[in-house]
Amino acid sequence: MSDSEAHAAESDHGEIPVHPRIPAGEPELIDTQSGFINLIERLREAGEFAYDTEFIGEHTYYPQVCLIQVATMGFVALIDPLAGFDVGPLWELLADPDVTKLVHAGLQDLEPVHRLTGKHPAAVFDTQIAAALVGSRYPVSLAELASVYCGAEMGRGLKFSQWDRRPLTPKQRRYAADDVRYLPLLVERLRARLDEMGRTSWADAEFEHFADLSIYRTDPATRKLKAKGVSKMKLRPKAALRALVVWREGVARERDISPRELINDELLFEIATERVVEADQLKRIAGVPKVVRRELAQDIAAVVRDVFEGPRPPAPLRRPRPTEREEEAMAHAWAGLGERCEALAVAQSLVMSRKSISDIALRAVRTGAATSVEGWRAELVDPVILSVLRRFGSRPPAQDDA
């Protein structure tokens, strides 16, 4: 590396702190099958390794993994999956319960495991989750945790970097390496903090969710659409739009293309509202991609026709709007949870969303009975809901409403 390249790579990164659990030096570049197989054996022997990926998700149905980073206390390695060799053994290793994987916000990085092996990720320690259980906000960046727990300056991220371009620049290599370099030390210190605060079992319970395959799937029918007017649509056009979204998902998956790149939300909205039940009607919708007009017009018309000519879609359930007193109870629950989380140094946003705690509080007020939540969250949530019941569970005398 030339002096100018080195300067570019280090310009917004601090020096790597000296510590036995922080691997220093240049990362190894793994771009051959033999080198990769050797690396897998080294990771297995270590029994624990840091893991991250860099991917591009704009043009393919599943994000394209362009770089894989791994690290132990002794080394950092960058695996080039675009070099043409089989990286399958890594996905298998990520499913091995005998080897611990250290990640930060690792959900999307672990998604390929089940899809490519049929197994679930196992033995995962996520630093973003662990930190939220011992006083950090949630979500929190790796750079912030590395600074607080490791004294490291990671520099600015490379949000729009072209990870599919080769060769990688010095700055890309340094950025990618740092994403795993500090995890061994960070995990050691977070484990100590979890143990000190009696939260290790909480963290273990959260990490078990990585084995729940449902968290890696999204329901296209519930996807938030980028089109104006969706909330004001009538019943059948709205049902047609949802059917088109589900149809688009299947075609995009089959063709390995981003759903919105196949046909965007605004066009689906227009097709549904214009009641395109015959293929020729698609011609009056401006902006439809040529490939869609040529190859998929019949399918689109059939989807819309099935909705408009089929049984009337069921009307959405309309729950009674909360009364002013119930609104007050829900606000009380959210504030009360915030106070308990602050007192116990747990990130409120990890414990429960405002909607979830509000729904629990509303149910408690309307039924007069508290519903306990599962696991470690009960310690924070149950007292809050009991407080809601004591204050709002029964209607006070009429003069109290004055």
Side-chain angles (χ1 to χ4, degrees):
M1 182 187 302
S2 68
D3 290 342
S4 60
E5 287 177 323
H7 178 73
E10 305 291 343
S11 60
D12 59 352
H13 290 74
E15 292 186 3
I16 299 171
V18 178
H19 191 280
R21 292 188 71 86
I22 299 178
E26 285 292 303
E28 303 174 25
L29 181 61
I30 308 299
D31 57 4
T32 66
Q33 191 74 64
S34 59
F36 174 73
I37 295 302
N38 177 262
L39 174 67
I40 293 297
E41 291 306 313
R42 293 160 67 194
L43 295 175
R44 191 179 297 281
E45 288 174 8
E48 177 177 286
F49 67 92
Y51 162 74
D52 188 36
T53 65
E54 304 297 341
F55 50 81
I56 296 176
E58 291 82 5
H59 305 299
T60 55
Y61 184 79
Y62 294 108
Q64 179 188 15
V65 178
C66 300
L67 191 68
I68 302 169
Q69 305 102 283
V70 294
T72 68
M73 291 188 300
F75 67 88
V76 180
L78 307 180
I79 304 167
D80 185 1
L82 305 184
F85 59 89
D86 177 21
V87 297
L90 177 64
W91 309 128
E92 293 286 347
L93 185 60
L94 290 167
D96 187 338
D98 294 327
V99 180
T100 302
K101 278 67 69 173
L102 317 178
V103 301
H104 180 83
L107 182 62
Q108 194 160 14
D109 302 292
L110 292 166
E111 181 276 329
V113 176
H114 174 67
R115 174 163 52 88
L116 299 176
T117 70
K119 303 174 184 178
H120 62 73
V124 177
F125 186 108
D126 192 309
T127 57
Q128 188 177 76
I129 293 171
L133 292 173
V134 294
S136 294
R137 58 193 175 85
Y138 183 85
V140 64
S141 70
L142 176 59
E144 184 174 330
L145 294 182
S147 175
V148 171
Y149 285 91
C150 307
E153 178 54 60
M154 291 183 60
R156 296 186 299 274
L158 300 181
K159 186 174 181 180
F160 300 107
S161 189
Q162 294 178 298
W163 290 106
D164 57 342
R165 297 282 295 273
R166 295 294 183 270
L168 296 170
T169 67
K171 188 171 184 178
Q172 284 178 313
R173 293 198 296 270
R174 173 66 192 268
Y175 172 87
D178 281 1
D179 270 357
V180 289
R181 188 192 307 276
Y182 300 110
L183 289 179
L185 176 59
L186 176 57
V187 167
E188 179 183 69
R189 292 181 171 171
L190 284 173
R191 280 173 173 156
R193 185 71 174 141
L194 286 165
D195 187 57
E196 177 187 334
M197 297 178 70
R199 307 273 170 84
T200 297
S201 62
W202 293 14
D204 289 343
E206 287 302 289
F207 300 155
E208 286 177 5
H209 293 161
F210 285 106
D212 179 2
L213 299 180
S214 68
I215 67 175
Y216 303 99
R217 307 188 189 107
T218 56
D219 181 357
T222 62
R223 188 189 296 277
K224 186 174 182 179
L225 299 177
K226 298 179 180 179
K228 293 181 180 179
V230 172
S231 62
K232 298 179 181 179
M233 295 179 77
K234 293 183 178 180
L235 198 58
R236 280 193 192 268
K238 195 171 208 176
L241 176 58
R242 290 299 172 188
L244 285 167
V245 170
V246 174
W247 165 84
R248 178 181 66 176
E249 198 82 8
V251 176
R253 186 187 304 113
E254 181 181 313
R255 300 190 175 202
D256 192 23
I257 186 174
S258 164
R260 288 191 173 102
E261 192 166 286
L262 177 69
I263 183 169
N264 65 40
D265 295 350
E266 291 85 354
L267 289 171
L268 291 187
F269 173 82
E270 193 169 352
I271 290 167
T273 54
E274 290 294 319
R275 192 172 173 167
V276 176
V277 296
E278 298 294 339
D280 286 348
Q281 292 177 270
L282 197 63
K283 296 176 182 178
R284 70 190 187 201
I285 307 296
V288 176
K290 290 181 181 179
V291 66
V292 173
R293 291 185 190 277
R294 184 174 62 250
E295 300 177 14
L296 301 171
Q298 294 285 354
D299 294 342
I300 289 173
V303 170
V304 179
R305 187 165 56 249
D306 285 347
V307 173
F308 278 96
E309 296 181 2
R312 179 179 173 81
L317 292 175
R318 296 189 180 278
R319 297 179 180 178
R321 291 180 62 85
T323 65
E324 185 175 336
R325 185 172 180 79
E326 289 169 344
E327 292 278 9
E328 189 179 348
M330 292 188 287
H332 178 82
W334 178 245
L337 180 61
E339 291 172 3
R340 282 195 61 77
C341 289
E342 184 175 0
L344 294 174
V346 182
Q348 184 177 4
S349 53
L350 176 66
V351 176
M352 191 166 288
S353 69
R354 181 162 191 162
K355 182 182 185 308
S356 295
I357 189 71
S358 297
D359 287 347
I360 294 173
L362 181 60
R363 192 181 314 119
V365 171
R366 287 181 173 176
T367 64
T371 302
S372 180
V373 300
E374 296 183 355
W376 62 268
R377 286 176 172 79
E379 185 174 331
L380 293 102
V381 175
D382 287 0
V384 172
I385 300 304
L386 290 174
S387 172
V388 168
L389 273 175
R390 284 193 296 268
R391 184 167 176 179
F392 301 96
S394 59
R395 190 168 179 80
Q399 62 266 27
D400 285 3
D401 290 341

